[in-house]
Amino acid sequence: NAGVTQTPKFRVLKTGQSMTLLCAQDMNHEYMYWYRQDPGMGLRLIHYSVGEGTTAKGEVPDGYNVSRLKKQNFLLGLESAAPSQTSVYFCASSYRDVAYEQYFGPGTRLTVT
Amino acid sequence: AQSVTQLDSHVSVSEGTPVLLRCNYSSSYSPSLFWYVQHPNKGLQLLLKYTSAATLVKGINGFEAEFKKSETSFHLTKPSAHMSDAAEYFCVVKNYGGSQGNLIFGKGTKLSVKP
């Protein structure tokens, strides 16, 4: 039981490049989330999904897109990376809504130069 | 609207002494409150949660938190700090007024434990 895994662990992009972050969970959870963590800011929700085929915007969605084609996977895309998107990205999942424990992946450290 | 304020960005204690990490909340509803811990270069892990049952909530690793409605506080405590407790701690509230998926995180308190 791997829990929540994220790929890749580290990435460096140039401004304007695109990339996709992959999150996978093996707990059959309905809800999945993408957060970004910046120093002194706590975690901020980018997008989330309440089930396969559904996505919704969180607090800071601009510049990101997501897809949930399979229940176990949640992809985060950056279409044209900007230095302001330099951050650590965390994926999480929960059985149902946010009142349930969220299980976090180990994070992806992204640097945009 | 809901919000949380962690009153200290950094707390330093000696091993074996008590830990107190302070959190105040603001909520228009009966709140759901959580404490999460993040060890260096790791994801977050749930320590404990309050969802309107007992006001004293016990969590993992000897931590507990007390919900005080009159003071709008949800402080995290531990009687005796261990070196392995050194981490960043986040107080979190469920956002009822926003989207379904929304937790609101405090800015974090970094706990240092001196030998």
Side-chain angles (χ1 to χ4, degrees):
Chain A
N1 194 338
V4 179
T5 58
Q6 293 182 230
T7 308
K9 290 187 168 49
F10 303 93
R11 186 72 186 267
V12 178
L13 288 179
K14 294 188 189 314
T15 298
Q17 288 184 320
S18 63
M19 76 163 294
T20 299
L21 306 182
L22 171 63
C23 175
Q25 53 94 5
D26 61 2
M27 297 172 282
N28 202 34
H29 284 170
E30 291 293 332
Y31 282 51
M32 295 187 75
Y33 316 82
W34 276 108
Y35 293 93
R36 60 177 290 171
Q37 184 178 32
D38 302 294
M41 300 283 290
L43 271 72
R44 293 180 292 169
L45 183 67
I46 303 171
H47 286 280
Y48 67 99
S49 167
V50 302
E52 181 179 318
T54 72
T55 63
K57 294 180 180 180
E59 182 185 353
V60 287
D62 294 341
Y64 305 94
N65 56 75
V66 288
S67 64
R68 183 112 181 257
L69 299 179
K70 294 183 178 180
K71 186 176 183 178
Q72 64 267 34
N73 294 339
F74 195 29
L75 279 63
L76 177 72
L78 285 72
E79 294 175 343
S80 178
S84 60
Q85 294 178 304
T86 294
S87 188
V88 181
Y89 292 86
F90 287 97
C91 177
S93 71
S94 63
Y95 172 64
R96 291 280 183 178
D97 72 14
V98 295
Y100 289 82
E101 176 177 359
Q102 292 193 11
Y103 292 81
F104 284 79
T108 295
R109 187 173 295 273
L110 174 66
T111 302
V112 182
T113 61
Chain B
Q2 283 67 237
S3 66
V4 288
T5 302
Q6 292 184 245
L7 299 171
D8 306 292
S9 58
H10 193 191
V11 170
S12 182
V13 301
S14 296
E15 191 173 21
T17 65
V19 175
L20 170 64
L21 305 183
R22 299 181 295 163
C23 173
N24 287 351
Y25 71 90
S26 172
S27 179
S28 306
Y29 303 86
S30 179
S32 291
L33 292 158
F34 311 80
W35 277 98
Y36 278 82
V37 61
Q38 183 181 28
H39 287 94
N41 300 311
K42 300 284 187 186
L44 280 74
Q45 180 185 18
L46 181 68
L47 272 180
L48 49 82
K49 68 177 180 181
Y50 168 79
T51 53
S52 76
T55 57
L56 183 62
V57 183
K58 293 191 184 297
I60 61 172
N61 301 333
F63 284 94
E64 61 184 36
E66 187 171 8
F67 174 73
K68 291 188 176 180
K69 186 175 180 179
S70 60
E71 298 176 12
T72 61
S73 69
F74 190 56
H75 301 336
L76 182 71
T77 60
K78 183 174 180 177
S80 177
H82 192 272
M83 295 297 291
S84 61
D85 295 328
E88 190 156 20
Y89 293 79
F90 294 94
C91 183
V92 184
V93 65
K94 176 177 177 176
N95 183 13
Y96 286 93
S99 52
Q100 289 183 57
N102 212 352
L103 290 178
I104 298 174
F105 285 76
K107 296 187 176 182
T109 298
K110 188 162 289 188
L111 176 65
S112 300
V113 182
K114 299 174 288 189

